[in-house]
Amino acid sequence: MKKPNKLYRKLALGFLFILGLLSFLPAEFVLATLLFIAVTYGGVVVIKLATSYDLKDKRENKT
């Protein structure tokens, strides 16, 4: 029963920390950072998909 309490405490602390940062930083900076994270993550996903497709294609065409 102690484990969920610790988890909720950590989640609440993290949420409050992020809320404090968002209230302190300008909205444009936060939005730009979130956009940068989204574009970077999207690029990584696209590269992984392309690489896995190339490897799969090479395996299937290998005779």
Side-chain angles (χ1 to χ4, degrees):
M1 192 149 182
K2 278 190 168 192
K3 201 168 200 167
N5 271 346
K6 287 184 181 181
L7 176 65
Y8 292 135
R9 185 179 304 155
K10 286 182 181 182
L11 287 174
L13 212 74
F15 180 72
L16 287 175
F17 178 75
I18 290 172
L19 201 63
L21 275 179
L22 290 178
S23 67
F24 179 70
L25 296 173
E28 295 87 10
F29 178 73
V30 173
L31 187 62
T33 304
L34 292 176
L35 253 141
F36 178 74
I37 291 169
V39 168
T40 303
Y41 181 73
V44 168
V45 168
V46 167
I47 290 171
K48 279 187 177 182
L49 284 174
T51 305
S52 67
Y53 179 76
D54 281 348
L55 291 175
K56 182 181 172 188
D57 192 38
K58 283 181 182 177
R59 266 188 260 132
E60 287 175 356
N61 291 336
K62 193 175 185 182
T63 55

PDB file of all heavy atoms in Angstrom, residues 5-34:
ATOM      1  N   ASN A   5       1.187   5.193  -2.879  1.00  0.00           N
ATOM      2  CA  ASN A   5       1.317   6.507  -2.262  1.00  0.00           C
ATOM      3  C   ASN A   5       2.552   7.232  -2.766  1.00  0.00           C
ATOM      4  O   ASN A   5       2.508   8.416  -3.068  1.00  0.00           O
ATOM      5  CB  ASN A   5       1.379   6.383  -0.735  1.00  0.00           C
ATOM      6  CG  ASN A   5       0.006   6.415  -0.110  1.00  0.00           C
ATOM      7  OD1 ASN A   5      -0.955   6.776  -0.768  1.00  0.00           O
ATOM      8  ND2 ASN A   5      -0.066   6.038   1.148  1.00  0.00           N
ATOM      9  N   LYS A   6       3.671   6.507  -2.860  1.00  0.00           N
ATOM     10  CA  LYS A   6       4.912   7.110  -3.352  1.00  0.00           C
ATOM     11  C   LYS A   6       4.765   7.512  -4.815  1.00  0.00           C
ATOM     12  O   LYS A   6       5.250   8.561  -5.225  1.00  0.00           O
ATOM     13  CB  LYS A   6       6.078   6.144  -3.182  1.00  0.00           C
ATOM     14  CG  LYS A   6       6.543   5.979  -1.758  1.00  0.00           C
ATOM     15  CD  LYS A   6       7.755   5.084  -1.679  1.00  0.00           C
ATOM     16  CE  LYS A   6       8.198   4.914  -0.234  1.00  0.00           C
ATOM     17  NZ  LYS A   6       9.393   4.077  -0.135  1.00  0.00           N
ATOM     18  N   LEU A   7       4.089   6.661  -5.590  1.00  0.00           N
ATOM     19  CA  LEU A   7       3.889   6.956  -7.003  1.00  0.00           C
ATOM     20  C   LEU A   7       3.052   8.221  -7.164  1.00  0.00           C
ATOM     21  O   LEU A   7       3.401   9.111  -7.939  1.00  0.00           O
ATOM     22  CB  LEU A   7       3.205   5.782  -7.702  1.00  0.00           C
ATOM     23  CG  LEU A   7       2.854   5.978  -9.168  1.00  0.00           C
ATOM     24  CD1 LEU A   7       4.135   6.119  -9.991  1.00  0.00           C
ATOM     25  CD2 LEU A   7       2.024   4.823  -9.671  1.00  0.00           C
ATOM     26  N   TYR A   8       1.952   8.319  -6.436  1.00  0.00           N
ATOM     27  CA  TYR A   8       1.096   9.495  -6.527  1.00  0.00           C
ATOM     28  C   TYR A   8       1.830  10.744  -6.044  1.00  0.00           C
ATOM     29  O   TYR A   8       1.661  11.825  -6.598  1.00  0.00           O
ATOM     30  CB  TYR A   8      -0.185   9.302  -5.731  1.00  0.00           C
ATOM     31  CG  TYR A   8      -1.099   8.261  -6.320  1.00  0.00           C
ATOM     32  CD1 TYR A   8      -1.713   7.308  -5.529  1.00  0.00           C
ATOM     33  CD2 TYR A   8      -1.335   8.215  -7.690  1.00  0.00           C
ATOM     34  CE1 TYR A   8      -2.548   6.354  -6.068  1.00  0.00           C
ATOM     35  CE2 TYR A   8      -2.163   7.264  -8.248  1.00  0.00           C
ATOM     36  CZ  TYR A   8      -2.773   6.335  -7.433  1.00  0.00           C
ATOM     37  OH  TYR A   8      -3.590   5.399  -7.984  1.00  0.00           O
ATOM     38  N   ARG A   9       2.661  10.600  -5.039  1.00  0.00           N
ATOM     39  CA  ARG A   9       3.420  11.743  -4.537  1.00  0.00           C
ATOM     40  C   ARG A   9       4.405  12.228  -5.600  1.00  0.00           C
ATOM     41  O   ARG A   9       4.533  13.423  -5.846  1.00  0.00           O
ATOM     42  CB  ARG A   9       4.176  11.357  -3.269  1.00  0.00           C
ATOM     43  CG  ARG A   9       4.884  12.545  -2.630  1.00  0.00           C
ATOM     44  CD  ARG A   9       5.605  12.196  -1.365  1.00  0.00           C
ATOM     45  NE  ARG A   9       4.690  11.582  -0.401  1.00  0.00           N
ATOM     46  CZ  ARG A   9       5.071  10.770   0.565  1.00  0.00           C
ATOM     47  NH1 ARG A   9       6.331  10.449   0.710  1.00  0.00           N
ATOM     48  NH2 ARG A   9       4.189  10.249   1.399  1.00  0.00           N
ATOM     49  N   LYS A  10       5.096  11.288  -6.262  1.00  0.00           N
ATOM     50  CA  LYS A  10       6.041  11.666  -7.308  1.00  0.00           C
ATOM     51  C   LYS A  10       5.320  12.305  -8.497  1.00  0.00           C
ATOM     52  O   LYS A  10       5.794  13.279  -9.074  1.00  0.00           O
ATOM     53  CB  LYS A  10       6.835  10.454  -7.780  1.00  0.00           C
ATOM     54  CG  LYS A  10       7.887  10.010  -6.800  1.00  0.00           C
ATOM     55  CD  LYS A  10       8.682   8.849  -7.338  1.00  0.00           C
ATOM     56  CE  LYS A  10       9.724   8.403  -6.325  1.00  0.00           C
ATOM     57  NZ  LYS A  10      10.534   7.299  -6.842  1.00  0.00           N
ATOM     58  N   LEU A  11       4.170  11.742  -8.878  1.00  0.00           N
ATOM     59  CA  LEU A  11       3.407  12.313  -9.985  1.00  0.00           C
ATOM     60  C   LEU A  11       2.921  13.722  -9.646  1.00  0.00           C
ATOM     61  O   LEU A  11       2.991  14.629 -10.479  1.00  0.00           O
ATOM     62  CB  LEU A  11       2.217  11.417 -10.334  1.00  0.00           C
ATOM     63  CG  LEU A  11       2.547  10.115 -11.053  1.00  0.00           C
ATOM     64  CD1 LEU A  11       1.295   9.263 -11.205  1.00  0.00           C
ATOM     65  CD2 LEU A  11       3.146  10.405 -12.409  1.00  0.00           C
ATOM     66  N   ALA A  12       2.425  13.895  -8.444  1.00  0.00           N
ATOM     67  CA  ALA A  12       1.943  15.210  -8.030  1.00  0.00           C
ATOM     68  C   ALA A  12       3.084  16.214  -7.978  1.00  0.00           C
ATOM     69  O   ALA A  12       2.939  17.367  -8.411  1.00  0.00           O
ATOM     70  CB  ALA A  12       1.253  15.111  -6.671  1.00  0.00           C
ATOM     71  N   LEU A  13       4.233  15.799  -7.463  1.00  0.00           N
ATOM     72  CA  LEU A  13       5.394  16.680  -7.395  1.00  0.00           C
ATOM     73  C   LEU A  13       5.864  17.072  -8.798  1.00  0.00           C
ATOM     74  O   LEU A  13       6.172  18.247  -9.053  1.00  0.00           O
ATOM     75  CB  LEU A  13       6.524  15.992  -6.628  1.00  0.00           C
ATOM     76  CG  LEU A  13       7.427  16.914  -5.845  1.00  0.00           C
ATOM     77  CD1 LEU A  13       6.686  17.392  -4.609  1.00  0.00           C
ATOM     78  CD2 LEU A  13       8.690  16.199  -5.464  1.00  0.00           C
ATOM     79  N   GLY A  14       5.909  16.102  -9.708  1.00  0.00           N
ATOM     80  CA  GLY A  14       6.294  16.385 -11.087  1.00  0.00           C
ATOM     81  C   GLY A  14       5.323  17.320 -11.766  1.00  0.00           C
ATOM     82  O   GLY A  14       5.716  18.250 -12.478  1.00  0.00           O
ATOM     83  N   PHE A  15       4.044  17.105 -11.526  1.00  0.00           N
ATOM     84  CA  PHE A  15       3.012  17.966 -12.108  1.00  0.00           C
ATOM     85  C   PHE A  15       3.134  19.391 -11.581  1.00  0.00           C
ATOM     86  O   PHE A  15       3.052  20.361 -12.345  1.00  0.00           O
ATOM     87  CB  PHE A  15       1.622  17.397 -11.799  1.00  0.00           C
ATOM     88  CG  PHE A  15       0.505  18.213 -12.360  1.00  0.00           C
ATOM     89  CD1 PHE A  15       0.264  18.233 -13.724  1.00  0.00           C
ATOM     90  CD2 PHE A  15      -0.306  18.974 -11.531  1.00  0.00           C
ATOM     91  CE1 PHE A  15      -0.759  18.997 -14.252  1.00  0.00           C
ATOM     92  CE2 PHE A  15      -1.333  19.731 -12.045  1.00  0.00           C
ATOM     93  CZ  PHE A  15      -1.560  19.746 -13.413  1.00  0.00           C
ATOM     94  N   LEU A  16       3.358  19.532 -10.290  1.00  0.00           N
ATOM     95  CA  LEU A  16       3.523  20.857  -9.710  1.00  0.00           C
ATOM     96  C   LEU A  16       4.785  21.542 -10.231  1.00  0.00           C
ATOM     97  O   LEU A  16       4.794  22.749 -10.468  1.00  0.00           O
ATOM     98  CB  LEU A  16       3.560  20.778  -8.181  1.00  0.00           C
ATOM     99  CG  LEU A  16       2.228  20.479  -7.505  1.00  0.00           C
ATOM    100  CD1 LEU A  16       2.422  20.293  -6.007  1.00  0.00           C
ATOM    101  CD2 LEU A  16       1.232  21.582  -7.782  1.00  0.00           C
ATOM    102  N   PHE A  17       5.847  20.775 -10.417  1.00  0.00           N
ATOM    103  CA  PHE A  17       7.085  21.327 -10.955  1.00  0.00           C
ATOM    104  C   PHE A  17       6.870  21.855 -12.369  1.00  0.00           C
ATOM    105  O   PHE A  17       7.274  22.973 -12.703  1.00  0.00           O
ATOM    106  CB  PHE A  17       8.174  20.253 -10.933  1.00  0.00           C
ATOM    107  CG  PHE A  17       9.478  20.708 -11.507  1.00  0.00           C
ATOM    108  CD1 PHE A  17      10.301  21.566 -10.791  1.00  0.00           C
ATOM    109  CD2 PHE A  17       9.884  20.292 -12.765  1.00  0.00           C
ATOM    110  CE1 PHE A  17      11.512  21.998 -11.323  1.00  0.00           C
ATOM    111  CE2 PHE A  17      11.083  20.717 -13.302  1.00  0.00           C
ATOM    112  CZ  PHE A  17      11.894  21.571 -12.572  1.00  0.00           C
ATOM    113  N   ILE A  18       6.216  21.048 -13.206  1.00  0.00           N
ATOM    114  CA  ILE A  18       5.945  21.466 -14.579  1.00  0.00           C
ATOM    115  C   ILE A  18       5.007  22.667 -14.599  1.00  0.00           C
ATOM    116  O   ILE A  18       5.192  23.609 -15.373  1.00  0.00           O
ATOM    117  CB  ILE A  18       5.368  20.287 -15.397  1.00  0.00           C
ATOM    118  CG1 ILE A  18       6.464  19.242 -15.613  1.00  0.00           C
ATOM    119  CG2 ILE A  18       4.818  20.752 -16.728  1.00  0.00           C
ATOM    120  CD1 ILE A  18       5.990  17.963 -16.233  1.00  0.00           C
ATOM    121  N   LEU A  19       4.009  22.651 -13.741  1.00  0.00           N
ATOM    122  CA  LEU A  19       3.084  23.782 -13.643  1.00  0.00           C
ATOM    123  C   LEU A  19       3.824  25.049 -13.233  1.00  0.00           C
ATOM    124  O   LEU A  19       3.569  26.132 -13.771  1.00  0.00           O
ATOM    125  CB  LEU A  19       1.978  23.459 -12.637  1.00  0.00           C
ATOM    126  CG  LEU A  19       0.695  24.249 -12.740  1.00  0.00           C
ATOM    127  CD1 LEU A  19       0.039  23.968 -14.081  1.00  0.00           C
ATOM    128  CD2 LEU A  19      -0.233  23.861 -11.621  1.00  0.00           C
ATOM    129  N   GLY A  20       4.751  24.942 -12.306  1.00  0.00           N
ATOM    130  CA  GLY A  20       5.540  26.088 -11.889  1.00  0.00           C
ATOM    131  C   GLY A  20       6.410  26.616 -13.013  1.00  0.00           C
ATOM    132  O   GLY A  20       6.525  27.827 -13.202  1.00  0.00           O
ATOM    133  N   LEU A  21       7.021  25.710 -13.775  1.00  0.00           N
ATOM    134  CA  LEU A  21       7.833  26.145 -14.917  1.00  0.00           C
ATOM    135  C   LEU A  21       6.983  26.843 -15.967  1.00  0.00           C
ATOM    136  O   LEU A  21       7.386  27.862 -16.528  1.00  0.00           O
ATOM    137  CB  LEU A  21       8.537  24.948 -15.552  1.00  0.00           C
ATOM    138  CG  LEU A  21       9.854  24.522 -14.938  1.00  0.00           C
ATOM    139  CD1 LEU A  21      10.397  23.305 -15.676  1.00  0.00           C
ATOM    140  CD2 LEU A  21      10.861  25.636 -14.965  1.00  0.00           C
ATOM    141  N   LEU A  22       5.807  26.291 -16.227  1.00  0.00           N
ATOM    142  CA  LEU A  22       4.940  26.884 -17.241  1.00  0.00           C
ATOM    143  C   LEU A  22       4.458  28.267 -16.826  1.00  0.00           C
ATOM    144  O   LEU A  22       4.255  29.140 -17.663  1.00  0.00           O
ATOM    145  CB  LEU A  22       3.750  25.965 -17.533  1.00  0.00           C
ATOM    146  CG  LEU A  22       4.076  24.667 -18.262  1.00  0.00           C
ATOM    147  CD1 LEU A  22       2.810  23.835 -18.436  1.00  0.00           C
ATOM    148  CD2 LEU A  22       4.726  24.927 -19.595  1.00  0.00           C
ATOM    149  N   SER A  23       4.239  28.465 -15.546  1.00  0.00           N
ATOM    150  CA  SER A  23       3.784  29.780 -15.096  1.00  0.00           C
ATOM    151  C   SER A  23       4.926  30.789 -15.093  1.00  0.00           C
ATOM    152  O   SER A  23       4.704  31.983 -15.208  1.00  0.00           O
ATOM    153  CB  SER A  23       3.180  29.674 -13.698  1.00  0.00           C
ATOM    154  OG  SER A  23       4.180  29.348 -12.751  1.00  0.00           O
ATOM    155  N   PHE A  24       6.153  30.327 -14.973  1.00  0.00           N
ATOM    156  CA  PHE A  24       7.322  31.217 -14.916  1.00  0.00           C
ATOM    157  C   PHE A  24       7.817  31.592 -16.307  1.00  0.00           C
ATOM    158  O   PHE A  24       8.201  32.728 -16.557  1.00  0.00           O
ATOM    159  CB  PHE A  24       8.435  30.535 -14.114  1.00  0.00           C
ATOM    160  CG  PHE A  24       9.677  31.343 -14.009  1.00  0.00           C
ATOM    161  CD1 PHE A  24       9.715  32.493 -13.249  1.00  0.00           C
ATOM    162  CD2 PHE A  24      10.823  30.947 -14.683  1.00  0.00           C
ATOM    163  CE1 PHE A  24      10.879  33.246 -13.149  1.00  0.00           C
ATOM    164  CE2 PHE A  24      11.986  31.692 -14.597  1.00  0.00           C
ATOM    165  CZ  PHE A  24      12.012  32.848 -13.825  1.00  0.00           C
ATOM    166  N   LEU A  25       7.835  30.616 -17.223  1.00  0.00           N
ATOM    167  CA  LEU A  25       8.378  30.841 -18.562  1.00  0.00           C
ATOM    168  C   LEU A  25       7.335  31.484 -19.470  1.00  0.00           C
ATOM    169  O   LEU A  25       6.141  31.267 -19.304  1.00  0.00           O
ATOM    170  CB  LEU A  25       8.827  29.510 -19.170  1.00  0.00           C
ATOM    171  CG  LEU A  25       9.962  28.794 -18.453  1.00  0.00           C
ATOM    172  CD1 LEU A  25      10.169  27.432 -19.064  1.00  0.00           C
ATOM    173  CD2 LEU A  25      11.235  29.600 -18.534  1.00  0.00           C
ATOM    174  N   PRO A  26       7.784  32.241 -20.467  1.00  0.00           N
ATOM    175  CA  PRO A  26       6.849  32.815 -21.434  1.00  0.00           C
ATOM    176  C   PRO A  26       6.196  31.715 -22.277  1.00  0.00           C
ATOM    177  O   PRO A  26       6.802  30.676 -22.547  1.00  0.00           O
ATOM    178  CB  PRO A  26       7.717  33.709 -22.314  1.00  0.00           C
ATOM    179  CG  PRO A  26       9.086  33.680 -21.766  1.00  0.00           C
ATOM    180  CD  PRO A  26       9.144  32.674 -20.673  1.00  0.00           C
ATOM    181  N   ALA A  27       4.980  31.962 -22.677  1.00  0.00           N
ATOM    182  CA  ALA A  27       4.211  30.948 -23.419  1.00  0.00           C
ATOM    183  C   ALA A  27       4.869  30.601 -24.751  1.00  0.00           C
ATOM    184  O   ALA A  27       4.822  29.448 -25.188  1.00  0.00           O
ATOM    185  CB  ALA A  27       2.791  31.438 -23.641  1.00  0.00           C
ATOM    186  N   GLU A  28       5.480  31.575 -25.407  1.00  0.00           N
ATOM    187  CA  GLU A  28       6.111  31.312 -26.715  1.00  0.00           C
ATOM    188  C   GLU A  28       7.272  30.339 -26.577  1.00  0.00           C
ATOM    189  O   GLU A  28       7.470  29.474 -27.416  1.00  0.00           O
ATOM    190  CB  GLU A  28       6.630  32.618 -27.345  1.00  0.00           C
ATOM    191  CG  GLU A  28       5.555  33.603 -27.695  1.00  0.00           C
ATOM    192  CD  GLU A  28       5.199  34.519 -26.540  1.00  0.00           C
ATOM    193  OE1 GLU A  28       5.925  34.517 -25.526  1.00  0.00           O
ATOM    194  OE2 GLU A  28       4.191  35.220 -26.641  1.00  0.00           O
ATOM    195  N   PHE A  29       8.027  30.470 -25.499  1.00  0.00           N
ATOM    196  CA  PHE A  29       9.153  29.568 -25.274  1.00  0.00           C
ATOM    197  C   PHE A  29       8.661  28.138 -25.042  1.00  0.00           C
ATOM    198  O   PHE A  29       9.211  27.186 -25.583  1.00  0.00           O
ATOM    199  CB  PHE A  29       9.970  30.048 -24.068  1.00  0.00           C
ATOM    200  CG  PHE A  29      11.118  29.147 -23.737  1.00  0.00           C
ATOM    201  CD1 PHE A  29      12.244  29.120 -24.529  1.00  0.00           C
ATOM    202  CD2 PHE A  29      11.070  28.316 -22.632  1.00  0.00           C
ATOM    203  CE1 PHE A  29      13.306  28.286 -24.234  1.00  0.00           C
ATOM    204  CE2 PHE A  29      12.123  27.483 -22.323  1.00  0.00           C
ATOM    205  CZ  PHE A  29      13.241  27.469 -23.135  1.00  0.00           C
ATOM    206  N   VAL A  30       7.611  28.011 -24.243  1.00  0.00           N
ATOM    207  CA  VAL A  30       7.058  26.683 -23.960  1.00  0.00           C
ATOM    208  C   VAL A  30       6.518  26.056 -25.245  1.00  0.00           C
ATOM    209  O   VAL A  30       6.776  24.882 -25.535  1.00  0.00           O
ATOM    210  CB  VAL A  30       5.956  26.774 -22.884  1.00  0.00           C
ATOM    211  CG1 VAL A  30       5.265  25.443 -22.701  1.00  0.00           C
ATOM    212  CG2 VAL A  30       6.533  27.267 -21.568  1.00  0.00           C
ATOM    213  N   LEU A  31       5.797  26.845 -26.031  1.00  0.00           N
ATOM    214  CA  LEU A  31       5.238  26.338 -27.278  1.00  0.00           C
ATOM    215  C   LEU A  31       6.343  25.939 -28.256  1.00  0.00           C
ATOM    216  O   LEU A  31       6.271  24.881 -28.894  1.00  0.00           O
ATOM    217  CB  LEU A  31       4.330  27.393 -27.917  1.00  0.00           C
ATOM    218  CG  LEU A  31       3.548  26.955 -29.129  1.00  0.00           C
ATOM    219  CD1 LEU A  31       2.594  25.821 -28.758  1.00  0.00           C
ATOM    220  CD2 LEU A  31       2.770  28.117 -29.689  1.00  0.00           C
ATOM    221  N   ALA A  32       7.378  26.752 -28.354  1.00  0.00           N
ATOM    222  CA  ALA A  32       8.496  26.440 -29.254  1.00  0.00           C
ATOM    223  C   ALA A  32       9.205  25.168 -28.802  1.00  0.00           C
ATOM    224  O   ALA A  32       9.587  24.334 -29.632  1.00  0.00           O
ATOM    225  CB  ALA A  32       9.474  27.605 -29.297  1.00  0.00           C
ATOM    226  N   THR A  33       9.376  25.000 -27.508  1.00  0.00           N
ATOM    227  CA  THR A  33      10.029  23.802 -26.989  1.00  0.00           C
ATOM    228  C   THR A  33       9.197  22.555 -27.284  1.00  0.00           C
ATOM    229  O   THR A  33       9.731  21.528 -27.723  1.00  0.00           O
ATOM    230  CB  THR A  33      10.259  23.938 -25.475  1.00  0.00           C
ATOM    231  OG1 THR A  33      11.015  25.116 -25.228  1.00  0.00           O
ATOM    232  CG2 THR A  33      10.983  22.741 -24.922  1.00  0.00           C
ATOM    233  N   LEU A  34       7.898  22.637 -27.056  1.00  0.00           N
ATOM    234  CA  LEU A  34       7.019  21.499 -27.332  1.00  0.00           C
ATOM    235  C   LEU A  34       7.013  21.159 -28.819  1.00  0.00           C
ATOM    236  O   LEU A  34       7.005  19.983 -29.199  1.00  0.00           O
ATOM    237  CB  LEU A  34       5.608  21.778 -26.833  1.00  0.00           C
ATOM    238  CG  LEU A  34       5.447  21.844 -25.319  1.00  0.00           C
ATOM    239  CD1 LEU A  34       4.013  22.232 -24.952  1.00  0.00           C
ATOM    240  CD2 LEU A  34       5.807  20.517 -24.672  1.00  0.00           C
TER     241      LEU A  34
END
